[in-house]
């Protein structure tokens, strides 16, 4: 599952709204996912004495809360986060400026340890010191190597949140992501998921093997499945943009094409939506309570 939690909204934080956190847990349980990619996760931070560019995530944060609530639901849950290496001050490298992110913009991956063993590859790729071959704006990209315990199959999961307010950095990040994908897929199965802040066509035109799905299309090859919310719509539940995607290599076999969690079709407007513990009759209410994105899921097998 992939889900942008819209941490910039104060009501979308554990510190101000425990009910929101419980709603997110309910949605994850409802999705039946074993790997959950999150973007824009608000995480409280502490300064480091040795550097001005990074901060440490505080213990007992919202990710710990999620894992405590999820553990016992089919297994014990743990997480990896970019919060400890995300840039906290703008930096210039070889004439290129990379912007920083605040406490509301962290990425995280939750996973079920009963089914998976995980290893964070941040140090291997230089993310922890921002000195590798793959430099991204804000430095929030995650690369986690998972081993499926039942089959001993290996997969690399990449969690991304591509910039939306600067076209030069947006294209730079997509170019870097394309290079990272090429390196990873030469050695293992790969899935990239997250908030790309772009429509499907921008990804189809690049050297990615599969974008969103291979067996059917939702609206068009250009736009795909709408996943962001009409935040001002108080009349009904409406979707607007196709910004959330899954990219996957040819060592991945689709079992279920990407879809919205618990929504059986691909319409743009609904009278109401049932998700988690709630029924929402308009998308403004959902935006206030949950997020400005809707979670997506993708079921797969790793091809040996």
């Amino acid at each position: 599952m992939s889900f942008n939690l819209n941490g910039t909204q104060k009501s979308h934080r554990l510190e101000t709204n425990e009910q929101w956190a419980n709603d997110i847990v309910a949605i994850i349980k409802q999705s039946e996912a074993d790997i959950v990619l999150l973007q824009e996760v608000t995480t409280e931070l502490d300064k480091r004495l040795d550097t001005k560019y990074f901060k440490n995530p505080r213990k007992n944060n919202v990710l710990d809360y999620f894992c405590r609530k999820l553990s016992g639901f089919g297994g014990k849950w743990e997480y990896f986060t970019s919060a400890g290496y995300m840039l906290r001050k703008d930096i210039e490298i070889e004439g290129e400026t990379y912007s920083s992110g605040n406490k509301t913009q962290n990425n995280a991956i939750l996973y079920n340890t009963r089914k998976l063993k995980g290893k964070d590859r941040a140090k291997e790729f230089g993310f922890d010191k921002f000195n590798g071959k793959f430099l991204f704006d804000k430095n929030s990209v995650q690369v986690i190597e998972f081993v499926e315990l039942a089959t001993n199959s290996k997969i690399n999961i990449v969690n991304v949140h591509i910039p939306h307010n600067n076209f030069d950095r947006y294209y730079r990040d997509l170019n870097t992501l394309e290079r990272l994908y090429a390196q990873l897929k030469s050695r293992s199965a790969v899935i990239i998921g997250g908030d790309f802040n772009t429509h499907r066509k921008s990804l189809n035109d690049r050297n990615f093997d599969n974008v969103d799905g291979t067996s059917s299309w939702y609206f068009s090859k250009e736009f795909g499945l709408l996943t962001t919310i009409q935040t001002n719509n108080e009349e009904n539940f409406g979707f607007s943009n196709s910004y959330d995607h899954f990219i996957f290599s040819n060592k991945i076999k689709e079992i279920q094409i990407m879809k919205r969690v618990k929504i059986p079709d691909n319409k743009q407007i609904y009278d109401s939506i049932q998700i988690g513990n709630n029924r929402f009759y308009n998308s403004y209410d959902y935006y206030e309570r949950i997020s400005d994105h809707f979670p997506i899921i993708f079921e797969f097998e790793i091809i040996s």
Side-chain angles (χ1 to χ4, degrees), residues 23 48 122 143 147:
D23 286 337
R48 286 173 47 176
V143 181
V147 175

Side-chain angles (χ1 to χ4, degrees), residues 79-118:
Y79 69 88
F80 299 102
T81 178
S82 67
Y85 60 78
M86 188 177 190
L87 284 174
R88 304 302 172 183
K89 184 177 177 60
D90 294 359
I91 190 171
E92 185 171 309
I93 304 287
E94 296 181 352
E96 293 277 347
T97 299
Y98 296 86
S99 62
S100 55
N102 60 41
K103 70 177 184 178
T104 70
Q105 297 174 314
N106 304 288
N107 281 0
I109 296 180
L110 316 179
Y111 68 103
N112 186 343
T113 64
R114 186 171 67 87
K115 296 183 178 181
L116 300 154
K117 181 180 179 181

Side-chain angles (χ1 to χ4, degrees), residues 27-43:
I27 290 169
I28 294 172
K29 288 181 177 180
Q30 189 179 61
S31 77
E32 300 181 339
D34 296 306
I35 304 173
V36 178
L37 281 57
L38 301 175
Q39 304 87 41
E40 289 194 39
V41 183
T42 295
T43 309

